[in-house]
Amino acid sequence: MTSEIPKLFGTSGIRGKVGYDITLDIAVNIGMAIASYAGGIGSKIVLGYDSRTSNVMIENAVTAGLLQCGCHVLKIGMAPTPLVGYATMKLKADAGIMITASHNPPEYNGIKLWNPDGMAYRQDQERKIEEIIHKRNFKTVSWKDIGKVEEVKYVVSDYITDIIAQANIKPGTKVVVDCANGAASYLSPLILRKVGCSVVAINSQPDGFFPGRMPEPSQKNLQELMKIVKAIGADIGIAHDGDADRMIAIDEKGRMADFDKLLAIVCREIGGKVVTTVDASLCTDKCMDEVGGHVIRTKVGDVHVAEAIEDNNAQFGGEPSGTWLHPNFCMCPDGILSALRVIELVQKYGPLSDQLDAIPSYPTIRDKVNCENFQKELIMENVKAKLHIILEDVVDVNQIDGVRISMADGSWVLIRPSGTESFIRITLEATNIEKAHMIRNQCAKFIEGLI
């Protein structure tokens, strides 16, 4: 692959504004490229989409590309991302395609690709797709070999049966679930009820305008859920993003669970080898030390976590964002199974608030600076060359993903460009809140000065 080949994939598939970054031409080309790469005539490709208004349009364009290269398209309709990954594996398909922009606003859409084992395409596979599109090396077929379309919605019941078999939950836990009017609006509340939970569902009517709340499960967007959990005395609240590959928990006091602490207690419960990213807190390491476990760190992005799980035969992997992978079930991130895991912890060890409060706190700031995509490369070059000079007591500069700078007292900061949005992200952890704000201000001022 040569450097002039345009990059289409970010940290989680292809994503952008409909009509600008995501066009019908791109969708058709993706269909033809994945068909050409995955085997051509007779190949089986699973195809699903979330609740966005542009999804059927893009689905039809992708389908046209697949059919033009002789593929057999297995349509599962509106479905959360974990169901697409599962269906790709369960149906022994050659690839899976999920049409979604995950947590992005409604004017966005995107495409994610999945391997036969339910794992997201690796970077080298994504580069191959980019190369096929750039060189137009499509393996199209004649009229007599055009592929066929089949609806296989029965795989939903298989997913429900298999995911329930993974759960060890007793009846009675009171759960409020917020599906963001997204792809899991029907499925997540149904599964929670089937395992015995008493469920109150909000924003669980699919709607591509996301009228209940925006699909990013942030504290700002989850205020209604937090109030309801506390008001009705629920044991836990669960929130998904638009495609439900993520899960955010609300404790019984109506507080959003600290991302890092929640990841840490789940890692501790699973034990063994776990994978997380360079932006995850040291509290995961502390919890794993308690059970003799081992933490493996990798680049930000669920595909990198998946690769590290596979390469290291790890038992679990997750990002602080709530994107968790359960390799004993499927290599696709699954926010619904993640919710079941946290409910199990509540039943086993008591209130979630007590479990989280028992984990040591390290002041953490996750911030972002607006930055156009064309500026990112030059800004990151300056960050690599100069940022460590303005910070105090620097002991290590790690460039595995962006720039992570560690200081003598254990404080650290990670600067990296977003792979899906027009931001430079600042993530840091410090020994006290004053130092955290000082580091954040120094880094933001430095980046804003470059812009």
Side-chain angles (χ1 to χ4, degrees):
M1 178 174 175
T2 57
S3 59
E4 71 265 14
I5 295 175
K7 184 172 177 60
L8 296 174
F9 290 87
T11 55
S12 186
I14 299 170
R15 202 176 298 179
K17 288 186 177 180
V18 176
Y20 296 92
D21 309 299
I22 303 298
T23 64
L24 296 184
D25 285 343
I26 287 176
V28 172
N29 287 340
I30 286 291
M32 290 194 293
I34 188 65
S36 302
Y37 177 78
I41 297 176
S43 298
K44 295 191 298 183
I45 311 294
V46 169
L47 183 57
Y49 54 83
D50 68 17
S51 62
R52 292 170 187 270
T53 60
S54 56
N55 273 336
V56 174
M57 176 182 74
I58 295 173
E59 182 206 32
N60 287 332
V62 172
T63 299
L66 294 170
L67 297 177
Q68 192 173 0
C69 293
C71 281
H72 186 45
V73 184
L74 307 178
K75 289 192 174 184
I76 62 174
M78 191 191 75
T81 287
L83 177 53
V84 172
Y86 168 89
T88 306
M89 176 184 67
K90 185 77 172 182
L91 299 174
K92 298 181 180 179
D94 296 282
I97 300 175
M98 177 64 182
I99 299 169
T100 180
S102 189
H103 63 274
N104 288 82
E107 64 270 24
Y108 284 75
N109 215 326
I111 299 171
K112 297 180 181 180
L113 306 178
W114 305 97
N115 278 297
D117 62 354
M119 177 175 156
Y121 264 36
R122 291 174 175 263
Q123 280 189 307
D124 61 322
Q125 293 177 298
E126 293 175 340
R127 293 190 187 104
K128 186 63 179 176
I129 298 298
E130 291 167 343
E131 183 179 8
I132 291 171
I133 292 173
H134 179 68
K135 295 182 177 179
R136 301 196 67 80
N137 288 337
F138 303 124
K139 299 177 182 178
T140 57
V141 300
S142 69
W143 64 269
K144 65 180 183 297
D145 292 317
I146 290 173
K148 299 179 180 179
V149 174
E150 177 186 354
E151 290 193 0
V152 288
K153 294 185 179 181
Y154 64 83
V155 76
V156 176
S157 60
D158 291 342
Y159 174 78
I160 293 171
T161 299
D162 288 349
I163 200 171
I164 288 174
Q166 290 284 317
N168 182 22
I169 294 175
K170 300 174 184 177
T173 299
K174 192 171 186 178
V175 181
V176 184
V177 59
D178 180 346
C179 298
N181 303 114
S185 292
Y186 299 142
L187 202 52
S188 188
L190 174 63
I191 290 172
L192 290 170
R193 290 187 178 106
K194 281 184 172 291
V195 298
C197 294
S198 173
V199 179
V200 174
I202 64 173
N203 301 321
S204 293
Q205 304 80 31
D207 190 323
F209 292 97
F210 305 114
R213 67 165 172 86
M214 286 293 101
E216 170 68 21
S218 64
Q219 184 154 356
K220 175 184 176 182
N221 292 336
L222 297 181
Q223 288 298 310
E224 180 186 28
L225 173 61
M226 295 162 69
K227 292 175 182 176
I228 292 173
V229 168
K230 185 176 180 180
I232 70 173
D235 298 297
I236 189 171
I238 298 295
H240 297 299
D241 58 342
D243 65 332
D245 62 348
R246 293 167 61 189
M247 183 280 306
I248 305 300
I250 307 298
D251 71 21
E252 79 287 354
K253 295 182 179 180
R255 306 178 305 179
M256 177 183 284
D258 181 281
F259 292 167
D260 287 290
K261 288 185 177 183
L262 189 64
L263 177 64
I265 63 174
V266 173
C267 287
R268 180 176 60 190
E269 180 68 10
I270 293 171
K273 288 188 287 187
V274 300
V275 176
T276 191
T277 52
V278 293
D279 63 339
S281 169
L282 289 173
C283 66
T284 298
D285 302 78
K286 299 292 186 183
C287 283
M288 289 302 288
D289 287 344
E290 295 175 16
V291 295
H294 178 58
V295 178
I296 300 162
R297 291 183 184 270
T298 189
K299 293 181 179 180
V300 173
D302 58 87
V303 64
H304 301 298
V305 174
E307 289 175 2
I309 290 173
E310 191 172 70
D311 294 343
N312 295 279
N313 194 28
Q315 284 70 50
F316 175 73
E319 298 183 273
S321 64
T323 308
W324 299 350
L325 290 91
H326 311 267
N328 63 325
F329 181 67
C330 181
M331 287 297 290
C332 179
D334 195 321
I336 300 174
L337 182 53
S338 297
L340 299 180
R341 292 282 178 258
V342 176
I343 292 169
E344 287 174 349
L345 289 180
V346 171
Q347 290 195 344
K348 188 173 182 179
Y349 298 111
L352 184 59
S353 63
D354 292 345
Q355 296 184 52
L356 296 173
D357 290 345
I359 304 296
S361 293
Y362 303 96
T364 302
I365 294 177
R366 301 179 189 276
D367 204 354
K368 54 193 177 185
V369 178
N370 290 327
C371 172
E372 296 299 326
N373 291 334
F374 73 88
Q375 298 174 301
K376 290 177 180 177
E377 184 175 353
L378 182 59
I379 288 173
M380 290 306 300
E381 287 178 1
N382 278 273
V383 169
K384 291 175 184 178
K386 301 176 183 178
L387 182 57
H388 65 278
I389 298 172
I390 70 171
L391 299 175
E392 298 179 356
D393 301 323
V394 172
V395 295
D396 182 62
V397 179
N398 185 318
Q399 296 183 16
I400 188 174
D401 186 13
V403 180
R404 176 173 168 145
I405 299 173
S406 301
M407 284 147 263
D409 65 350
S411 302
W412 59 268
V413 60
L414 173 69
I415 310 295
R416 59 181 297 276
S418 170
T420 58
E421 299 174 276
S422 300
F423 299 121
I424 296 288
R425 298 191 183 278
I426 303 173
T427 305
L428 65 92
E429 190 172 46
T431 51
N432 59 70
I433 193 63
E434 290 79 14
K435 182 162 188 177
H437 284 296
M438 180 184 72
I439 296 171
R440 181 267 170 206
N441 291 339
Q442 287 177 312
C443 292
K445 183 177 180 181
F446 179 81
I447 294 168
E448 288 167 353
L450 296 174
I451 295 174

